[in-house]
Amino acid sequence: QHADYFNLSTYVGSGVDDHNITGVGFEPELVFTRQLIGNNYINLKTESSGYDQQKSGEFGQYGQIYNDSIQALQPDGFQLGTLSELNFSGTDYAYFAFRQTDAPIFVTTTSDVSNGDTSSIVALRANDGGDGISLREAIEAANNTHNGTDIDTILFDIALSDLNYSAVTNSYTIQLSSVLPWLDDSVIIDATTQAGYDGTPGISLRGNAIGGPDDYAFGSDTAGMTIRGFAIGGFSGGGFYLEGAGRHIIESNYIGTDVTGVVANANGIGIYLNSGADGSRIGGSTAGQGNLISGNTSYGIIIE
């Protein structure tokens, strides 16, 4: 057993629907269950293939689909249905759970559409809707991929042929039509990974077309949000709204200007840290970590 990769343990069936098996220590990518006596039926559930259930007898055929089997993969384990081969009351079972090891997902378009499969990072990578992966899709998929203390990573790889690339400023503009989903799972969104980054933002994130009074570019009430490398402007609420478990990192951004840092593109508030955002860091002591916060119509930073 190695907690960084897998967990092997046992449980006792209850016969009750929606029976949660906890204590695994992570949200699995793949789970096998097996009876310890009798026909030794094996069941499995995998995130990558869309949460199929399979059952096979010791001498039976693989590939059969059964309802009420392993119903869900959860942040600290998995949930069972009433299928007797994995949840008969008083029966002993073993499980073998593999930890998620998601590679970074890359934003490949400035489009703001969401037509891919955002049920998980693995699913979005397999089906992006045929037009690349948008920032919105990447965030939705990251929110749906709950890996406990593991951190999802969103990087950038947009082609020079993108319609919203400007050769004058060597930058790409993402014009949002509505607010992005709040980040509810630990995530790093790193726009400095876009080719051509030279220490100033190469990704302009604009909220000018949204128009809501409380719209923020990024909002989170969970731990572990790291955002870097954006020029953020046009959000009437502000650039960032951070609360909850804290330890957010905001660095290498222009908040309230365009990518040149010279022309204002005002937000309301630059950065709003509300209660619980203890341990968060804005900027840093290393060259290039600082944020430019200027041109906004309200406060640059509020700590409440």
Side-chain angles (χ1 to χ4, degrees):
Q1 179 171 322
H2 195 304
D4 288 340
Y5 303 103
F6 61 85
N7 193 352
L8 177 65
S9 191
T10 60
Y11 66 91
V12 179
S14 66
V16 177
D17 197 16
D18 299 336
H19 178 49
N20 295 323
I21 305 300
T22 59
V24 175
F26 50 81
E27 179 171 335
E29 161 67 22
L30 172 65
V31 170
F32 291 92
T33 68
R34 178 172 178 169
Q35 287 178 317
L36 294 180
I37 59 173
N39 290 324
N40 293 320
Y41 279 103
I42 297 172
N43 293 266
L44 69 87
K45 190 177 193 67
T46 174
E47 180 182 58
S48 302
S49 66
Y51 299 99
D52 289 337
Q53 298 101 26
Q54 288 187 301
K55 182 182 78 170
S56 66
E58 192 170 24
F59 303 103
Q61 293 182 343
Y62 288 85
Q64 297 167 303
I65 305 300
Y66 287 78
N67 295 322
D68 297 319
S69 182
I70 304 174
Q71 298 180 149
L73 303 180
Q74 299 176 324
D76 186 32
F78 51 98
Q79 184 183 91
L80 304 176
T82 57
L83 190 69
S84 62
E85 285 80 359
L86 53 67
N87 192 21
F88 190 77
S89 180
T91 299
D92 293 323
Y93 301 89
Y95 71 79
F96 197 176
F98 292 85
R99 193 183 190 114
Q100 294 183 356
T101 55
D102 287 324
I105 191 164
F106 286 85
V107 174
T108 59
T109 177
T110 59
S111 170
D112 189 37
V113 300
S114 181
N115 58 6
D117 184 349
T118 60
S119 60
S120 71
I121 287 177
V122 173
L124 180 57
R125 192 179 290 114
N127 177 14
D128 64 8
D131 54 1
I133 296 174
S134 67
L135 177 59
R136 184 177 301 277
E137 288 174 319
I139 290 175
E140 290 173 354
N143 281 345
N144 290 328
T145 305
H146 293 279
N147 347 0
T149 58
D150 293 341
I151 300 176
D152 295 320
T153 303
I154 299 173
L155 308 180
F156 282 74
D157 186 23
I158 305 174
L160 288 172
S161 58
D162 191 277
L163 293 176
N164 292 310
Y165 171 71
S166 169
V168 175
T169 57
N170 188 29
S171 66
Y172 303 80
T173 298
I174 299 175
Q175 176 65 65
L176 299 181
S177 58
S178 61
V179 292
L180 292 169
W182 268 45
L183 300 165
D184 61 13
D185 195 31
S186 296
V187 65
I188 296 171
I189 305 179
D190 190 352
T192 69
T193 58
Q194 175 62 46
Y197 178 76
D198 60 0
T200 60
I203 304 293
S204 176
L205 186 63
R206 295 185 178 180
N208 307 74
I210 300 175
D214 299 315
D215 296 334
Y216 286 80
F218 294 103
S220 178
D221 57 4
T222 61
M225 182 177 83
T226 298
I227 308 292
R228 62 172 66 99
F230 289 91
I232 297 170
F235 293 88
S236 53
F240 295 89
Y241 186 92
L242 310 175
E243 63 178 7
R247 299 194 180 279
H248 306 291
I249 298 174
I250 308 300
E251 62 184 19
S252 309
N253 301 287
Y254 287 4
I255 305 167
T257 76
D258 69 355
V259 294
T260 68
V262 176
V263 179
N265 187 16
N267 304 293
I269 298 166
I271 301 174
Y272 194 134
L273 283 88
N274 210 333
S275 60
D278 310 62
S280 296
R281 172 165 61 81
I282 300 172
S285 58
T286 301
Q289 288 183 316
N291 301 284
L292 172 63
I293 307 174
S294 183
N296 299 294
T297 60
S298 185
Y299 300 100
I301 301 173
I302 291 180
I303 302 175
E304 182 175 349

